[in-house]
Structures are given as structure tokens and as C-alpha cells.
Amino acid sequence: MADVYHIGRKGEELAKEHLVGNGFEILETNWQSSHLEVDIIARKNNVLVAVEVKTRSTNFFGEPEVFVTRQKQRMLIRAVNHYLLQNNLHLEVRFDIISVVFTKNEHRLRHIEDAFYPLM
């Protein structure tokens, strides 16, 4: 279990480095409110970006991003709504997914912008 934890943390570190390198300001990591959590909350220009990071040691069962289920999306949307209210922010919001797959001594990172939209 500890190995899975460390792989996940390494994926989040790579995701943060990727975002910063692409002009994002990291506002929060592993932000929680009650039972809700967002892996990374970032800002670029006037857009608040909620990022779900999915890390796997293999893509045998599918790419990591396919495991961001509709239920997980709803939880992320609720979490971001809490964040906006708590911080009295009035920004456009975008939901991204960063998937990281490790293979031997390498990794592949994929940043999916606008990965999903809140349903009306």
C-alpha cells in the first residue's frame, strides 16, 4: 500500500511541476473541505483550474483518466463550489485531469484541459 501512496505523491509532484512550467500559479494542493478533496487548485490568468491527478504504474486496465468517474466529477464540482464560497472568489472555473503513467525509469504525463463540464 505504501508503494501506491508514493506513486500517487510522485505523480502529483510531476503534475505541479508541469503546471508551474506552463504558467499556472498553484493555490492549493490536496485541498479538503469535509469529505471533499481537490488534488490541485491552480490559477492561470482569470481562470481557476481544478486538477484531478491520476497516477498508475501501468495502463493495463486503461488510461488513468478513464477512472475519473461521473461520481468523482460531481464530488470535484461540489468541492470547487465550496472553495469558491470559502474564498469569496468569482472566477471562471475549469476542470482538468493530469494522468501520469510510470514505466521502468520513465513516466508519461498527459494534461487534459477542460476534461469535463458541470452539468446544468
Side-chain angles (χ1 to χ4, degrees):
M1 189 68 165
D3 195 30
V4 172
Y5 173 82
H6 291 296
I7 288 171
R9 289 291 171 227
K10 180 63 177 166
E12 287 182 4
E13 287 300 317
L14 290 168
K16 285 192 297 189
E17 291 172 14
H18 167 79
L19 291 168
V20 169
N22 283 283
F24 290 80
E25 174 189 3
I26 304 297
L27 302 177
E28 305 278 352
T29 56
N30 299 305
W31 181 85
Q32 294 182 344
S33 175
S34 184
H35 63 284
L36 304 170
E37 181 182 2
V38 181
D39 291 334
I40 300 172
I41 299 175
R43 185 176 184 165
K44 187 170 186 180
N45 302 319
N46 265 348
V47 179
L48 186 79
V49 182
V51 182
E52 177 68 10
V53 181
K54 286 294 183 191
T55 307
R56 297 287 186 269
S57 58
T58 178
N59 61 356
F60 182 78
F61 296 105
E63 295 300 322
E65 61 269 17
V66 302
F67 295 97
V68 181
T69 64
R70 189 63 195 146
Q71 179 180 352
K72 179 63 177 176
Q73 293 173 17
R74 283 193 293 272
M75 297 295 274
L76 286 167
I77 293 163
R78 287 180 56 207
V80 170
N81 284 336
H82 282 262
Y83 183 82
L84 291 168
L85 288 170
Q86 254 185 18
N87 293 285
N88 195 28
L89 295 173
H90 304 282
L91 297 170
E92 178 182 337
V93 177
R94 187 176 87 202
F95 295 90
D96 291 3
I97 298 173
I98 293 182
S99 72
V100 181
V101 177
F102 288 102
T103 56
K104 295 189 181 180
N105 297 324
E106 300 176 341
H107 71 274
R108 177 179 45 89
L109 183 144
R110 183 170 176 221
H111 183 177
I112 305 162
E113 296 182 4
D114 286 317
F116 62 91
Y117 302 93
L119 295 176
M120 301 280 181

